Amino acid sequence: MAQKSPAKKAGTAKPKATGAAPIAEDGKTVYAQNCLSCHQADGGGVPNMNPPLIKTDYVLGDKDRLIKIVLNGFNERVEIEGEMYNNVMPALNHLTDKQIAAVLTYVRNNFGNKASAVTPVEVKKARGK
Amino acid sequence: MKLKVAFSSFIPLIAAAGLLWYNANKPLVANMVNPDADNAGLKLPAGFGALRAAENVGKARHLAVTAGGDIYVKLNRPKEGKGIVYLQDANDDGKMDDTKMFGNYGGTGMYIKNGYLYASSDTEVFRYKLNENGQVTNPEAPEKIVTGLIERRQHESKSIVVDNNDNLYVNIGAYSNSCQEKDRTPGSMGRKGCPILDSAGGIWQFKASKANQTYKDGVRYATGLRNVVGLDWNQQNNQLFVMQHGRDQLHDLFPALYTVQQSAIYPAECMYALKKGDNAGWPYIYFNQDLNKKIVAPEYGGDGKKEGSKEYINPAAAYPGHMAPNGLLFYTGNMFPEKYKNGAFIAFHGSWNRAPEPQAGFFVVFQPFKDGKPSGKYEVFADGFSGSPEKTASGRADHKPCGLAQGPDGSLYVSDDVKGTIYRIVYNK
């Protein structure tokens, strides 16, 4: 299921290993590398901590708001369908426009979701604001 | 003559009844409750059984059992506006059949000591006076013992325990994973002289019977503890023991230093035996249970191998990572076999931070003790809360064990904060 991160040889790799592998641009790989450990393989999140990505307005609704959560992180208590979620999501603005578009398109069309794709142009526009 | 015979034969009966009364906290086969046919879905060692004492009580965190066998349960979030559940068993069959609710706040802590029920929200500690039947006399007007504790969403629960000298111990969890400049952000380094430790990341000691205490009235009893949920007072040592939730995300934050697999099992979840003034080392170090060493955290210059300072205390015992020890109980009852006496039960709520590796935990373990110290490896005592191995691996558990309490007859009670089941585990042989 999950893809392994490119830099994973503990003990041999040096800190800040960069350029070791090509940057993954398919949504599933970007999800596995950046989202899965909190939002989980099934997108269901973790009760009381990490919000689910399944059929919520945050995922299926306003694309600009969704893109900005990835760019800026999310650091507030949120209630989704009666459950509270508390954990901190870091800003993931080191991801490229293409990566963010790919991962959000993936999230909006998996875990039982069905919604329009997110394009790199939309990400670029949100980042520029 | 007839009457005399009847009377004299009555005397041993009275004596026997008196003996029964006197031995009320010893197991009495005649009084044993019956386990559920399926042992409440749990897998237990031979001779043990379990029943569902209550179901659907809410997000049940810690719980306390009165001398008469009634149960108080703290709910993480109020249900119908009430955050404490009081359960009574009218016919002594072990199934709680009367439910009352009070207290308008959510939280975790629930503890009975010296005729008081102590309860915590995520910012305050209250106590309620119990009458001789163990019933709260002032449900709407508790004494506020501590107020104004920090709650910044992460590690917000305030676990509590009271010692034998009128001291209250409160966990104040760190509102951070590893005190990074930017919390949970890959590569972000640790804040120098982590300022969180001034008001959180430790155990604070207050007076158990003084109203309206704040930070200035308390003492930072032990520091360098990221987050503690399970804690108990060890009566043999007269000492506080706590279970720390170790830091998350070694791989996510420092992928060049840790594999996904290493990140799933490290660092250890640690049991600490605390003395006043102890420092367990968070966020500067963590404990690697396989190297059996304190290791410098990557946020503070560690490389996964560099050993941490000796100024930080060693754990009394260490367990695999991320299993979330939410309940700790030293067993002092007489019902279970001798080996359990004065040993520790630990409720591991279950992991989330092992993904994409399989999740683990969702069980109650027994840690043998000898002379007040952990002795030998822990053993899984009660398993099966999750519902199936697949639900354990995915983390989508049906039930998650959270709080532990001992009943007057020596039964072990376990709360579940997913569906609100209260389990009662008994020994029948």
Side-chain angles (χ1 to χ4, degrees):
Chain A
M1 47 168 215
Q3 312 292 309
K4 297 295 190 304
S5 170
K8 70 177 183 62
K9 290 199 182 80
T12 55
K14 290 190 173 66
K16 292 178 187 167
T18 49
I23 295 169
E25 288 184 342
D26 72 286
K28 190 176 179 182
T29 305
V30 176
Y31 183 82
Q33 291 176 354
N34 297 280
C35 317
L36 187 150
S37 70
C38 290
H39 293 291
Q40 306 292 300
D42 62 4
V46 178
N48 204 42
M49 301 192 71
N50 311 320
L53 305 175
I54 301 170
K55 295 181 180 173
T56 77
D57 186 55
Y58 283 92
V59 169
L60 299 175
D62 182 3
K63 283 196 266 187
D64 193 52
R65 178 176 71 172
L66 180 61
I67 293 164
K68 282 182 176 147
I69 289 173
V70 175
L71 288 171
N72 303 327
F74 194 81
N75 194 355
E76 57 192 85
R77 179 170 287 156
V78 59
E79 181 170 350
I80 298 174
E81 291 183 13
E83 292 283 342
M84 302 299 290
Y85 298 91
N86 282 331
N87 211 354
V88 174
M89 173 169 162
L92 297 167
N93 54 13
H94 60 283
L95 298 177
T96 65
D97 293 349
K98 261 186 166 172
Q99 285 179 304
I100 292 174
V103 76
L104 291 180
T105 300
Y106 173 80
V107 166
R108 280 162 63 91
N109 290 283
N110 276 281
F111 318 132
N113 296 329
K114 190 79 195 143
S116 62
V118 173
T119 67
V121 172
E122 288 168 314
V123 179
K124 188 176 165 59
K125 201 172 138 205
R127 203 193 288 267
K129 277 180 195 167
Chain B
M1 188 66 191
K2 218 176 175 182
L3 184 73
K4 195 181 170 189
V5 169
F7 185 67
S8 62
S9 67
F10 206 68
I11 290 170
L13 264 180
I14 294 169
L19 197 64
L20 284 175
W21 179 254
Y22 181 74
N23 283 338
N25 59 353
K26 293 260 168 74
L28 293 169
V29 173
N31 280 2
M32 289 292 294
V33 295
N34 291 319
D36 291 350
D38 66 346
N39 280 331
L42 301 185
K43 280 191 295 247
L44 299 161
F48 288 89
L51 59 146
R52 298 169 186 85
E55 293 182 88
N56 304 312
V57 303
K59 292 180 183 296
R61 298 287 283 178
H62 287 175
L63 74 172
V65 184
T66 71
D70 297 342
I71 309 174
Y72 289 98
V73 186
K74 190 77 201 73
L75 302 184
N76 208 16
R77 291 187 73 195
K79 186 178 168 187
E80 293 147 24
K82 305 292 184 188
I84 300 174
V85 184
Y86 176 48
L87 300 164
Q88 284 178 288
D89 177 12
N91 57 0
D92 290 328
D93 66 349
K95 300 283 186 182
M96 311 310 280
D97 32 38
D98 187 45
T99 302
K100 291 188 180 68
M101 299 184 70
F102 61 98
N104 62 359
Y105 51 93
T108 289
M110 189 99 292
Y111 195 73
I112 291 175
K113 186 77 177 178
N114 297 335
Y116 288 93
L117 175 72
Y118 289 81
S120 69
S121 71
D122 292 340
T123 56
E124 298 182 306
V125 181
F126 303 90
R127 75 171 183 178
Y128 300 82
K129 180 82 184 129
L130 298 174
N131 67 18
E132 65 276 12
N133 297 318
Q135 292 163 332
V136 164
T137 57
N138 52 343
E140 302 311 317
E143 283 179 84
K144 188 177 285 186
I145 301 297
V146 184
T147 186
L149 302 177
I150 279 205
E151 187 273 310
R152 294 188 186 167
R153 304 197 345 261
Q154 270 188 82
H155 308 142
E156 69 278 21
S157 66
K158 303 292 184 287
S159 300
I160 52 174
V161 72
V162 179
D163 70 9
N164 300 313
N165 287 308
D166 197 43
N167 294 306
L168 166 73
Y169 300 84
V170 184
N171 170 66
I172 306 177
Y175 44 92
S176 169
N177 175 38
S178 191
C179 208
Q180 290 172 286
E181 294 283 353
K182 290 182 181 168
D183 194 16
R184 297 183 188 265
T185 299
S188 177
M189 297 307 280
R191 299 169 73 182
K192 298 274 181 289
C194 179
I196 291 170
L197 293 167
D198 293 347
S199 59
I203 302 289
W204 265 254
Q205 183 192 52
F206 297 93
K207 297 313 287 180
S209 53
K210 188 180 166 205
N212 295 313
Q213 297 168 90
T214 61
Y215 274 103
K216 67 176 168 42
D217 303 299
V219 173
R220 193 179 70 175
Y221 187 77
T223 189
L225 290 157
R226 177 176 175 272
N227 186 36
V228 166
V229 186
L231 78 179
D232 197 13
W233 189 260
N234 183 302
Q235 301 294 346
Q236 267 195 320
N237 297 9
N238 207 29
Q239 186 175 18
L240 178 64
F241 278 68
V242 302
M243 298 296 311
Q244 176 180 243
H245 283 219
R247 52 89 42 85
D248 297 328
Q249 293 182 287
L250 285 168
H251 168 80
D252 290 342
L253 304 178
F254 294 89
L257 296 175
Y258 300 91
T259 65
V260 167
Q261 290 77 13
Q262 288 172 323
S263 197
I265 56 171
Y266 302 138
E269 305 285 55
C270 291
M271 171 189 281
Y272 290 102
L274 295 178
K275 295 191 299 293
K276 189 174 181 176
D278 276 345
N279 185 341
W282 180 91
Y284 310 110
I285 57 110
Y286 63 83
F287 195 77
N288 179 309
Q289 67 272 29
D290 291 323
L291 298 174
N292 198 30
K293 281 176 181 164
K294 289 168 290 202
I295 302 295
V296 177
E299 290 84 355
Y300 290 89
D303 59 1
K305 296 186 183 70
K306 197 192 294 182
E307 262 194 81
S309 166
K310 293 201 182 344
E311 75 182 282
Y312 307 123
I313 60 168
N314 281 317
Y319 306 88
H322 310 302
M323 298 200 302
N326 275 8
L328 174 66
L329 178 89
F330 287 102
Y331 187 76
T332 58
N334 295 318
M335 178 192 277
F336 291 4
E338 186 60 28
K339 77 170 224 186
Y340 294 98
K341 190 104 176 191
N342 297 314
F345 287 101
I346 306 165
F348 283 102
H349 193 239
S351 69
W352 63 272
N353 197 230
R354 288 183 168 221
E357 294 291 296
Q359 305 293 358
F362 314 101
F363 49 42
V364 176
V365 311
F366 177 70
Q367 171 64 61
F369 264 62
K370 190 161 183 269
D371 303 326
K373 288 196 172 73
S375 168
K377 194 170 161 45
Y378 70 92
E379 49 203 68
V380 175
F381 175 75
D383 204 354
F385 292 91
S386 75
S388 71
E390 295 72 29
K391 287 176 179 179
T392 293
S394 69
R396 301 291 171 222
D398 291 345
H399 305 271
K400 295 183 183 180
C402 184
L404 297 171
Q406 185 182 306
D409 66 347
S411 296
L412 177 68
Y413 291 81
V414 186
S415 63
D416 145 45
D417 67 358
V418 177
K419 291 211 174 74
T421 301
I422 306 299
Y423 298 86
R424 178 173 176 182
I425 300 173
V426 295
Y427 185 70
N428 261 330
K429 290 229 169 78

